Each structure stands twice: as structure tokens, then as C-alpha cells.
Amino acid sequence: CIEVAFTPQRLINASGESASLDSLRGQPISAFCGIGNPVGFRRTLSDIGLPVTDAQFRIFPDHHRYTREDVETLTKWAATYSLSALVTTLKDQVKITVDKLGATPLWSVDIGTTVLANEQLLTEQLDLIHRLIPASVAPTESDQPAVP
């Protein structure tokens, strides 16, 4: 058994710039998401010191495709609260692709994976799987995504 945790690492914007999770603590923010577990996202925000009220949190359906009207509505919503930032999930941010909604910065919470138990077992199993992949279908180094 391998135990992992999915933990917030940093804030990131659509341009790939990052900021510490602490950078928005104590600042007025609102958040939105279109994921299957919006309550979990809201709990994550609270856990990292970015609590939002019901009025400061908007939920869209899972896999929501943001329209121009959605972006305009979110922009107006942010302007009414004089926010330091809007925060969303990375899944949602990649669908919007802007760093700001109006004058309000848009950040997403970058979630990382931390192995809590049996990292050696994980490494061994991944190595085994890798050895079983025929060389003709194994990805080459140029196929690998760039990691910042």
C-alpha cells in the first residue's frame, strides 16, 4: 500500500507566474470552480488560510466550458467586491487562459503529490511498469512535458 497526499503547493496564473500560498492570506478574495467536488475546493482554500463566504464562492457545473458571458459576469462580480484576487482551480483556469478578470488578478491553486508512505515500493513498481513498456511505444525525452 502506498499512501499519498495531494497538497496545495503554490498559486499560479495563466502565464505560469507563481506566488506563495501566503501571499493572499488576509486579503479580500473570491473563488469559483466548475469541478465535481466544489466543497472540497472550498475546504482546501480554507485549509490554506483563504476562507471564502457563500457570497464569495461561485459554483459552475463539473467540466463547465466558460463562455464570454461567464467571464464578463465573473469580472463584474469581482469588481463589486474590490478584491485582491480571484482564485480558482487549475482545471478551470486553463479554460479561461487570462491572468486577470478586469483589474482583478486570477490565480489557481497548484496541487502537488506528496508520498507519505512506501515511496520505495512506488519507485520499484513504476520501474517495473517502465521496463514492461516496449521501446517502440515508450515516450522519448522529447515527448515529455516541460516541468518548471
Side-chain angles (χ1 to χ4, degrees), residues 56-130:
Q56 296 169 302
F57 192 69
R58 292 243 171 132
I59 299 170
F60 292 88
D62 192 17
H63 303 288
H64 185 69
R65 293 180 189 262
Y66 292 91
T67 64
R68 179 180 295 241
E69 183 179 328
D70 292 331
V71 171
E72 289 171 3
T73 300
L74 287 167
T75 301
K76 289 176 187 172
W77 177 58
T80 62
Y81 286 101
S82 300
L83 302 173
S84 293
L86 276 170
V87 180
T88 192
T89 68
L90 188 56
K91 176 183 168 185
D92 292 297
Q93 187 184 52
V94 299
K95 296 175 185 178
I96 296 177
T97 70
V98 296
D99 293 335
K100 291 183 176 187
L101 291 180
T104 307
L106 176 62
W107 294 99
S108 66
V109 179
D110 187 24
I111 304 293
T113 305
T114 304
V115 178
L116 302 175
N118 294 323
E119 185 170 3
Q120 182 175 345
L121 176 61
L122 174 62
T123 301
E124 290 168 0
Q125 293 300 305
L126 290 173
D127 286 345
L128 175 64
I129 292 167
H130 186 260

Side-chain angles (χ1 to χ4, degrees), residues 2-56:
I2 299 161
E3 184 179 355
V4 298
F6 301 103
T7 54
Q9 304 292 307
R10 63 186 176 154
L11 299 170
I12 190 166
N13 68 14
S15 296
E17 297 168 341
S18 64
S20 74
L21 297 171
D22 294 337
S23 66
L24 291 179
R25 283 197 186 125
Q27 303 293 319
I29 68 157
S30 287
F32 66 94
C33 64
I35 61 173
N37 185 4
V39 173
F41 176 57
R42 189 168 174 186
R43 185 174 42 250
T44 295
L45 292 174
S46 182
D47 290 348
I48 62 175
L50 303 175
V52 291
T53 65
D54 287 345
Q56 296 169 302

